[in-house]
Amino acid sequence: MTVVSESIRIDVPVETAFEYLDDPHNHAEVTPSVSDVQNVERLDNGGKRLDCRYKMAGIGLETVLEQTIHEPNHRMVFDMRSGVDGEIDLQFAEANGGTEVTYTATYEIPGRVLNAVVEPFAIKYNERELRTALENLKQRLELEDETEA
């Protein structure tokens, strides 16, 4: 299993950050590799199940995401099933009047040989992807917060 994690502080309340990411369509706005979110259905735990299209290293993939943990204003965890299986864990914490968002992706690339060749590239790619997604989230939420003020 490979784990990549990034955090960022955003100058908006925890509720604002959580509410924004609680809408799966907004992930496509801030995550560069996500191109489409479809078939969103609400689950009994407050989370969602959805189909998602994304690209990794230029290769188009489809995945099913199921939110296994939905703790309002604290945490959301998605189980990911596709050619690359894993988990996406988003955590939210109050930080000096704003929000610290931590995005952790745990995944497994199938095949031992393929994994040995691809893993170093995948780690760098996903670190960049997480960092860019969080920077986009920060920009989107802080800009919206400024225009509402």
Side-chain angles (χ1 to χ4, degrees), residues 100-136:
E100 176 97 9
V101 179
T102 301
Y103 186 150
T104 303
T106 305
Y107 56 91
E108 184 171 350
I109 299 170
R112 272 187 18 194
V113 174
L114 179 61
N115 194 11
V117 172
V118 174
E119 186 174 29
F121 167 77
I123 290 170
K124 289 290 185 202
Y125 178 87
N126 283 311
E127 286 172 345
R128 187 172 48 250
E129 183 78 8
L130 267 58
R131 189 171 33 258
T132 301
L134 288 172
E135 288 169 358
N136 289 345

Side-chain angles (χ1 to χ4, degrees), residues 5-79:
S5 186
E6 293 283 334
S7 295
I8 197 164
R9 187 184 169 285
I10 303 172
D11 288 324
V12 297
V14 170
E15 297 81 11
T16 301
F18 188 91
E19 181 180 310
Y20 182 82
L21 288 177
D22 199 31
D23 179 348
H25 295 96
N26 289 336
H27 291 262
E29 284 189 21
V30 298
T31 307
S33 64
V34 175
S35 61
D36 194 22
V37 172
Q38 298 179 6
N39 305 319
V40 177
E41 70 180 77
R42 185 164 294 282
L43 302 174
D44 291 339
N45 69 357
K48 286 120 187 127
R49 184 194 171 286
L50 56 117
D51 297 325
C52 179
R53 289 190 185 137
Y54 68 101
K55 285 188 177 183
M56 179 182 257
I59 298 169
L61 300 168
E62 293 186 14
T63 189
V64 175
L65 294 173
E66 185 169 331
Q67 200 169 13
T68 57
I69 296 174
H70 183 267
E71 298 172 3
N73 304 322
H74 179 64
R75 188 173 183 210
M76 53 180 77
V77 177
F78 294 89
D79 187 37

